[in-house]
Amino acid sequence: MYRSSKLKTIILSICFLSIISACSLSSEKPNDLNIEVENFTYTNQENVPFGLSDLENKVWIADFIFTNCTTVCPGMTYNMVQLQSKMKEAGVDAEIVSFSVDPSIDTPEVLKEYVSKFGADFSNWHLLTGYSDDIIQKFAKNSFLTIAQKDENSDQVIHGTAFYLIDQQGIVLTKYDGNNPDFDQIIKDIKSLE
């Protein structure tokens, strides 16, 4: 009798702990990267300076694209427009920042025209350029642990395809597959930072 009672107590305790753990995990803030974004000021699609100070106390999503891309960038840009729309529907407040990895071609005007074709809303989307290839290569590596390098055999740029979640203090918390993003997870993670 005593053993049976003790066993029930142990099983109930394990079940209770499992439920508590699951509940705490669901509201936990993502933080598998924990990288501080280097200070920056570049040029946005309106041809005005825009930098890390403009994102202070804001949650933001970042990616790396270029307008002459013949592979992943159109799909990533389409997905970012979808994310922007879903964030608006969910009442989620976050900025979007796309860094060009081909700044010699991607002028502010070219970037704006490119993203406009996908139906982007520029009220919270910032397309950045106005730096050298070397600067964006180092910035991508140091702040996002990703690559941004010209392909020596073509006019293309080799770059990462992730969407990154950055918190109000400019810390990169986690990343998502920009080619096949889990929109619900991204929105949930943004909400966990509010």
Side-chain angles (χ1 to χ4, degrees), residues 73-87:
C73 298
M76 288 175 61
T77 304
Y78 173 81
N79 288 336
M80 193 64 88
V81 169
Q82 298 308 303
L83 175 59
Q84 184 182 43
S85 176
K86 290 178 185 300
M87 288 189 313

Side-chain angles (χ1 to χ4, degrees), residues 52-168:
L52 190 59
S53 62
D54 297 294
L55 295 162
E56 193 173 324
N57 299 317
K58 295 179 181 180
V59 175
W60 47 295
I61 300 287
D63 71 348
F64 293 85
I65 61 167
F66 67 110
T67 61
N68 196 34
C69 179
T70 59
T71 56
V72 294
C73 298
M76 288 175 61
T77 304
Y78 173 81
N79 288 336
M80 193 64 88
V81 169
Q82 298 308 303
L83 175 59
Q84 184 182 43
S85 176
K86 290 178 185 300
M87 288 189 313
K88 190 173 185 179
E89 287 170 17
V92 171
D93 187 24
E95 301 294 303
I96 298 171
V97 181
S98 293
F99 297 93
S100 170
V101 293
D102 196 7
S104 57
I105 291 177
D106 290 343
T107 63
E109 298 78 20
V110 168
L111 282 167
K112 188 171 186 178
E113 180 182 343
Y114 177 76
V115 178
S116 292
K117 292 175 186 174
F118 294 88
D121 173 1
F122 292 106
S123 63
N124 67 331
W125 196 334
H126 316 279
L127 304 156
L128 302 184
T129 189
Y131 36 75
S132 68
D133 293 334
D134 188 50
I135 286 174
I136 193 60
Q137 183 177 344
K138 287 178 183 172
F139 177 75
K141 181 181 177 185
N142 295 342
S143 294
F144 294 90
L145 302 181
T146 193
I147 189 170
Q149 186 173 339
K150 289 268 191 185
D151 181 354
E152 295 177 11
N153 301 315
S154 74
D155 64 351
Q156 297 297 289
V157 181
I158 302 162
H159 65 93
T161 59
F163 290 174
Y164 298 89
L165 176 63
I166 301 94
D167 72 8
Q168 296 92 329

